[in-house]
Amino acid sequence: MKQSIIINGTKHEINVDSDMPLLWFLRDELEFTGTKFGCGKGLCGACTVHVNGQAIRSCITPVSTLVDKQITTIEGLSENGDHALQRAWLNNKVPQCGYCQAGQIMNAASLLAVNPAPTIEEIEASMQGNICRCGTYQRITKAISEAADTLSKEA
Ligand code: FES
Ligand code: FES
């Protein structure tokens, strides 16, 4: 029997080589192209998705290690693109070229899930592995802080 993984709530049979990194499975097999390829070596964060709520680098995570786990990609973070982080991203006009931003948002979402009221230092420490070649770091930090405030008011 084929093994499967659950992506954004839907079960998908693993019909590829089990060594294939999740990023390739997402982009090439399922056409979830919101998750980006940056370095392919776990160094930049462009490919960040959640596995059971935790941020991981999908470029270095073989699909075979994810059987029956819950994967969330940027497409599944919210139903209508209206997660507090996505709203704060728009409000603060965070992206420049945009390439790194899905990974940034997914990493930020996993931070807020465990630390709903992070300090600026905690945000910077948590986000330091997500590289932005356009240098949008200040806006990213501001947007995460704003999203945390919004979530605390909405709770
Ligand atoms: S593409 Fe995965 S960390 Fe850079
Ligand atoms: S917005 Fe261009 S790499 Fe981050």
Side-chain angles (χ1 to χ4, degrees), residues 23 36-48 57-60:
L23 179 60
K36 303 301 188 206
F37 171 83
C39 64
K41 294 184 160 70
L43 300 172
C44 76
C47 65
T48 303
R57 306 273 158 108
S58 62
C59 70
I60 52 167

Side-chain angles (χ1 to χ4, degrees), residues 100-112:
C100 72
Q101 299 293 335
Q104 304 279 3
I105 290 173
M106 294 309 285
N107 199 56
S110 71
L111 165 66
L112 294 185

Side-chain angles (χ1 to χ4, degrees), residues 12-26:
H12 294 272
E13 205 173 78
I14 301 173
N15 54 1
V16 296
D17 190 294
S18 60
D19 288 344
M20 178 184 275
L22 174 62
L23 179 60
W24 274 255
F25 189 59
L26 290 172

Side-chain angles (χ1 to χ4, degrees), residues 6 49-56 66-72:
I6 301 156
V49 299
H50 295 174
V51 174
N52 293 348
Q54 286 198 318
I56 60 108
L66 301 168
V67 173
D68 294 330
K69 299 210 168 134
Q70 297 274 354
I71 317 297
T72 307

